[in-house]
Amino acid sequence: MKLILEKAKLQWELKLPFVLYKKPNKPIVKGVFQKNNSLFSVNDFTEKGFVFASFDGNKTYIIPENESEISSAIYIENQSISFNGNDFYSNEKERIYFENLVHKGIQAIENEDFKKVVLSRRESVNFSNFDLMLTFEKLVQLYPTAFTYCFYHPKVGVWLGASPEQLLKVNQEVFQTISLAGTQKDSGGSIVIWKQKEEEEQQFVTDYIVNKLKDTVTELKISKPYSIKAGSLWHIKTDISGLLNPDYGLQKLIRLLHPTPAVCGFPKDQSKKFILDNENYDRTFYTGFLGELNYVDTKETQNSDLFVNLRCMEIEIGSSRKLSEFAMTKAHFFMGCGITKDSIPENEWEESVNKSMTMKKVLDL
């Protein structure tokens, strides 16, 4: 673990791209270290490497396998790490703006423009004494059931996250995805009770995915919805799997699924247009996707393992290249909420605050 973190520090100081990541419930941390500073793009999804794609689909970058050194290490918990974040946040101006945005979304749903839309906000915080590697370690330690990562490219920036949502997993012809929606804060109890609004919101996502897959997948299997915990939040999850038809490649499959109603809305085109017209900021890579593209495993089979970029933050760091000499740092947090006809703007604001704590906790904010 120490060696792979030292390698990442060196890459940073040399301004060379890298990604560190750990898959959910797995003991291995992987690193992909690019040998040059070129910015590579995905053309047809036959490429091999670590992909990092934007919400709008206009930027799909890759750290190519054939241009990189790949390492892995057993994750060892850092016993010296402490967490000092709090669960309180108040910004009246941001609250009013977001609640008005949610109200506008509800009005559009009542006007039958669409059935659901996922509206988000960005919150920016200045702070100092930022340690990139320590922050990644904190993410891994706090969220073992999430896809945790630290991505850096000098022409893209620094992103970290702990995503609870898989976009898709493909092992040869075997396909897996999930439907994840609905959010409530953990109250410490063993039983989670869901309101109709959250159950309907999650069912929108399931129905959309199943409808999109019916002509591309055979032997489709759909689990019953169940509750799953991600950090301090609960969600409703449905597992979906099947066999891919031979004439459907990875590119077609990704375009069918992304963005799902869990991060965009339903119908997709109408809700996406509303988001782009009304959110008043550029999501960039928030609610995009990332992960392994066409990796070859130990059995010599080709796999792709992609996740939605949720519970993430973009970091703007001062000019120093040494991790121990960071100047003032700015963190951008991204939080979204699924809006339906039954949404209450005040509740959606509270949900967004709860989601922001996922990243703030690792920064001790």
Side-chain angles (χ1 to χ4, degrees):
M1 183 72 177
K2 182 179 179 181
L3 290 177
I4 206 169
L5 294 177
E6 289 294 333
K7 175 65 175 175
K9 288 180 182 179
L10 180 60
Q11 289 281 117
W12 167 264
E13 291 174 3
L14 295 175
K15 297 186 181 180
L16 292 175
F18 71 89
V19 63
L20 298 173
Y21 64 97
K22 179 181 170 295
K23 294 184 181 182
N25 302 308
K26 300 295 183 182
I28 303 296
V29 173
K30 294 184 178 181
V32 185
F33 306 103
Q34 193 171 307
K35 298 173 184 177
N36 55 62
N37 65 357
S38 299
L39 183 60
F40 296 95
S41 295
V42 171
N43 295 314
D44 57 10
F45 287 89
T46 61
E47 296 87 352
K48 297 180 181 180
F50 190 96
V51 66
F52 195 69
S54 62
F55 165 71
D56 60 14
N58 293 330
K59 298 174 183 177
T60 306
Y61 300 131
I62 187 169
I63 299 181
E65 184 182 88
N66 61 1
E67 299 282 349
S68 305
E69 176 187 335
I70 299 176
S71 303
S72 61
I74 299 293
Y75 168 66
I76 299 174
E77 185 174 301
N78 187 339
Q79 298 291 340
S80 66
I81 288 178
S82 61
F83 302 95
N84 302 306
N86 64 74
D87 291 339
F88 177 77
Y89 175 75
S90 178
N91 185 307
E92 192 68 8
K93 185 178 179 180
E94 287 185 19
R95 182 187 65 80
I96 292 172
Y97 180 85
F98 188 68
E99 289 180 5
N100 286 339
L101 176 63
V102 172
H103 182 69
K104 190 173 182 179
I106 295 170
Q107 285 185 319
I109 293 170
E110 291 174 346
N111 293 338
E112 299 185 347
D113 294 344
F114 39 78
K115 293 183 178 179
K116 174 189 174 180
V117 65
V118 178
L119 298 176
S120 70
R121 64 183 181 92
R122 180 179 63 185
E123 180 187 327
S124 300
V125 177
N126 291 315
F127 61 101
S128 57
N129 301 319
F130 177 71
D131 187 323
L132 186 59
M133 295 302 108
L134 180 61
T135 302
F136 173 69
E137 284 192 90
K138 285 185 174 183
L139 279 175
V140 172
Q141 190 163 316
L142 265 177
Y143 307 114
T145 63
F147 179 84
T148 47
Y149 77 91
C150 172
F151 176 93
Y152 166 68
H153 195 294
K155 299 174 183 176
V156 177
V158 179
W159 286 75
L160 299 101
S163 175
E165 183 172 349
Q166 184 151 48
L167 177 63
L168 61 87
K169 184 175 184 179
V170 178
N171 185 340
Q172 293 182 299
E173 76 279 5
V174 179
F175 163 84
Q176 295 174 306
T177 188
I178 67 169
S179 164
L180 188 79
T183 301
Q184 64 173 280
K185 192 174 182 180
D186 179 34
S187 61
S190 58
I191 299 176
V192 183
I193 305 297
W194 294 99
K195 296 179 181 178
Q196 182 178 348
K197 182 262 180 185
E198 282 80 17
E199 291 178 338
E200 288 181 350
E201 179 188 343
Q202 196 265 347
Q203 193 62 46
F204 274 136
V205 181
T206 303
D207 293 344
Y208 171 87
I209 293 174
V210 170
N211 184 62
K212 287 291 184 180
L213 291 176
K214 64 184 180 182
D215 296 326
T216 66
V217 175
T218 59
E219 300 184 28
L220 193 62
K221 296 179 182 178
I222 307 158
S223 75
K224 292 183 178 179
Y226 61 95
S227 298
I228 184 168
K229 190 178 179 183
S232 61
L233 302 175
W234 285 95
H235 305 288
I236 309 173
K237 180 179 179 180
T238 298
D239 298 312
I240 302 168
S241 63
L243 300 179
L244 277 176
N245 291 332
D247 56 341
Y248 261 86
L250 194 57
Q251 184 175 27
K252 288 184 179 179
L253 186 60
I254 291 172
R255 286 178 175 174
L256 277 178
L257 289 177
H258 186 266
T260 72
V263 298
C264 183
F266 179 78
K268 180 165 71 173
D269 291 342
Q270 293 91 324
S271 56
K272 186 176 181 180
K273 184 179 186 304
F274 184 89
I275 288 168
L276 296 174
D277 289 345
N278 292 279
E279 276 192 343
N280 201 31
Y281 84 99
D282 185 357
R283 288 188 180 188
T284 63
F285 296 95
Y286 166 63
T287 62
F289 61 89
L290 72 165
E292 296 175 346
L293 183 65
N294 298 316
Y295 272 43
V296 177
D297 64 16
T298 54
K299 298 179 182 179
E300 298 300 313
T301 59
Q302 194 162 279
N303 305 297
S304 293
D305 203 356
L306 304 178
F307 292 80
V308 182
N309 197 14
L310 300 176
R311 312 295 146 77
C312 60
M313 59 183 168
E314 180 184 15
I315 302 292
E316 292 182 25
I317 302 172
S319 59
S320 174
R321 298 310 305 173
K322 293 186 178 180
L323 289 172
S324 60
E325 297 177 2
F326 280 152
M328 182 60 71
T329 304
K330 178 176 284 189
H332 302 289
F333 307 106
F334 303 85
M335 298 73 64
C337 303
I339 309 304
T340 68
K341 60 179 176 58
D342 298 318
S343 292
I344 300 171
E346 293 80 4
N347 292 352
E348 303 302 337
W349 165 256
E350 290 300 323
E351 180 179 320
S352 78
V353 171
N354 291 336
K355 287 179 175 177
S356 74
M357 298 305 166
T358 302
M359 291 296 102
K360 288 181 178 179
K361 193 170 184 180
V362 301
L363 298 177
D364 296 332
L365 297 176

